[in-house]
Amino acid sequence: MDDDRGAGVPAFEVRTTRRGLFGLGAASLLALVGAGTTAASDGSDEESNGRLVFIYDDSWREDWDQTFPVHQEEGVPACCAAVTEYVDTGWGLLPEHLREMEAEGWEIMSHTASHGVVGNLYLTAPAEPDDQRLSLNASFLADRDGEPIVVGDSDGTVENVIAGGGEDDDGFYLELEEPIGESFAAEETFVRFTDERIHEEVVGSKAELEEMGVDVDYFVSPFGRSEGLVEELVEEHYAGFANREGNGLNGIADIDPYDLGRTSIDGRSSTESEIEAFYDQVAAGEYLGIVVGHSQFDETTEERVRFAIQEAKARDLEIVTLREALSDLEVGPDEMLGSDEDGEEDDDQDAESDGDGEADDGEAATNESASDSSGNGAGSTVRENGPAIAAGTGLLATVAVAGRAALQRLRE
């Protein structure tokens, strides 16, 4: 399931990122604007009891053969979270399916390149320098033999290669090709793919989907793992993180596009009464509801999808895409990433200020991070590449956008 979550983010992973400044800026501005902001920020239809977003993960062919027709018959859109390596296969969606869905009002999201876990896993037991087995809080890397990984904490990281894994009486474990070479504490030590690999999964997947002719603004993380470098990349390249936090009830008064949560409508995860109870909560409060389904699951039938749609309609919930919902709440792609026009102006200003055509500090930091993670050694290396820190580019612009939105609310 994509909703599993791991240990909390360690204290050292405090980030100066767009989402962090958005939270600080929005909180201060809301305090200045007052109650009028809350009223103005409710972009939902006054005739509706709330808004609901459907997301279908993984881009299997069943999305097209089974789920898409039901939504068409019911006259409501949804979002497809696509895995690029699944697209254009015998069992996955085809690029023309994605384009047709988008043309019919659906939204396409990125669900990584290969559906590999891109968020941090964490040690559940200490590791010593001679250890070649790590105890982890999840099994998602166990079948990735030969994949380079990094193991790290607040002091830095070491590299190694996966040699297998599984589960025993003590829990999940990961085998390594070489001894870890350093001592690491439990809980605060993360294990994940290399920076370069995560960049390919998170940023590369967006580029590939857009090359297929669709627009991509939002990211869905496999297995619900969202801690670590993936957060920074999503905040830099996407307008929101569709499954990072929460239970699907996303309060609209202070909604953060990078802290959205979902709940399941899959037959194997939720009963019909649980779906109805969730809808009742969306209808009763000031929430944006987000639900997720997997069309390839046997229990997520056309009947289950139709039930989920019709029960939402019965409660006067307006079914929309995530892009539409967040844009109406003034925290959509234009506000979080800037419009194309703004981007062109920023590029012109950067070119004038740099003069020599060299990359700015933000680009240099990103390129350096990628190059640090591309070493060829299979064994452990000295801790030289500490935890990646997000570049500060565009952060002041984000605060400015929030300020403009608040001022606009005051004028209304």
Side-chain angles (χ1 to χ4, degrees):
M1 287 298 300
D2 283 355
D3 294 322
D4 293 342
R5 298 194 58 78
V9 181
F12 71 85
E13 289 190 10
V14 176
R15 302 172 312 285
T16 308
T17 56
R18 179 186 292 110
R19 184 172 66 84
L21 280 184
F22 171 81
L24 291 173
S28 300
L29 291 167
L30 285 172
L32 290 172
V33 176
T37 302
T38 301
S41 65
D42 183 0
S44 61
D45 188 340
E46 291 182 359
E47 298 179 357
S48 168
N49 285 333
R51 285 185 152 187
L52 184 69
V53 174
F54 282 79
I55 302 176
Y56 295 97
D57 282 2
D58 301 342
S59 57
W60 282 52
R61 188 66 60 87
E62 284 83 352
D63 282 350
W64 176 260
D65 295 337
Q66 299 174 189
T67 302
F68 180 64
V70 174
H71 275 262
Q72 291 292 90
E73 292 166 10
E74 294 292 336
V76 295
C79 306
C80 172
V83 179
T84 56
E85 288 187 8
Y86 295 177
V87 177
D88 211 9
T89 64
W91 46 270
L93 294 176
L94 302 177
E96 51 263 41
H97 292 154
L98 297 176
R99 292 191 292 270
E100 177 68 16
M101 286 174 163
E102 185 177 71
E104 292 296 319
W106 280 47
E107 179 178 350
I108 309 304
M109 300 173 169
S110 169
H111 197 28
T112 70
S114 71
H115 206 269
V117 61
V118 291
N120 291 348
L121 306 184
Y122 292 93
L123 293 190
T124 57
E128 300 301 330
D130 292 335
D131 288 347
Q132 286 184 246
R133 173 182 284 204
L134 304 178
S135 298
L136 297 180
N137 63 344
S139 63
F140 303 123
L141 291 172
D143 62 348
R144 298 280 179 161
D145 289 19
E147 293 274 10
I149 58 168
V150 294
V151 181
D153 56 22
S154 58
D155 294 324
T157 62
V158 297
E159 295 184 4
N160 215 298
V161 175
I162 299 172
E167 184 178 10
D168 57 20
D169 292 340
D170 296 323
F172 300 113
Y173 64 89
L174 194 69
E175 299 282 1
L176 305 177
E177 285 192 358
E178 301 287 342
I180 192 66
E182 297 277 350
S183 295
F184 288 98
E187 298 183 357
E188 64 189 50
T189 301
F190 63 83
V191 181
R192 59 168 170 77
F193 289 131
T194 63
D195 290 14
E196 181 179 29
R197 172 63 184 279
I198 293 177
H199 192 279
E200 292 172 357
E201 293 283 343
V202 177
V203 183
S205 60
K206 182 179 191 292
E208 286 188 60
L209 288 170
E210 290 178 338
E211 287 176 0
M212 297 178 193
V214 296
D215 293 326
V216 177
D217 290 319
Y218 297 99
F219 180 79
V220 174
S221 193
F223 314 110
R225 297 289 167 152
S226 61
E227 303 89 353
L229 178 60
V230 59
E231 295 173 285
E232 300 167 11
L233 293 175
V234 170
E235 291 165 19
E236 183 69 21
H237 296 276
Y238 292 85
F241 205 138
N243 68 330
R244 187 178 182 277
E245 297 285 354
N247 60 357
L249 294 171
N250 302 281
I252 64 173
D254 57 353
I255 197 165
D256 182 346
Y258 297 98
D259 268 324
L260 301 174
R262 314 183 299 177
T263 193
S264 178
I265 60 166
D266 286 323
R268 65 171 60 177
S269 302
S270 301
T271 65
E272 290 186 351
S273 61
E274 288 172 335
I275 294 173
E276 291 173 316
F278 175 76
Y279 289 170
D280 288 340
Q281 289 179 288
V282 176
E286 298 294 318
Y287 295 115
L288 170 64
I290 304 179
V291 297
V292 57
H294 297 75
S295 303
Q296 71 271 25
F297 289 177
D298 291 340
E299 300 87 349
T300 306
T301 61
E302 294 161 272
E303 292 73 22
R304 168 52 69 104
V305 171
R306 193 180 304 278
F307 168 84
I309 295 172
Q310 292 182 346
E311 288 301 316
K313 288 181 173 181
R315 289 159 177 79
D316 291 324
L317 297 178
E318 184 184 8
I319 299 172
V320 296
T321 64
L322 186 60
R323 183 187 293 121
E324 180 182 357
L326 295 180
S327 293
D328 286 348
L329 292 170
E330 299 183 354
V331 288
D334 285 350
E335 289 81 8
M336 304 313 296
L337 296 178
S339 65
D340 292 340
E341 182 178 348
D342 290 340
E344 292 173 0
E345 291 174 355
D346 291 342
D347 290 342
D348 291 341
Q349 292 172 358
D350 290 342
E352 292 175 2
S353 61
D354 291 341
D356 55 6
E358 293 181 359
D360 62 22
D361 292 341
E363 291 173 339
T366 302
N367 293 335
E368 182 179 353
S369 175
S371 63
D372 286 345
S373 65
S374 59
N376 298 320
S380 300
T381 59
V382 178
R383 299 188 190 197
E384 295 176 347
N385 54 326
I389 303 298
T393 56
L395 296 176
L396 292 177
T398 301
V399 176
V401 166
R404 289 197 299 271
L407 289 174
Q408 179 62 33
R409 294 188 186 105
L410 282 173
R411 296 189 185 105
E412 294 175 349

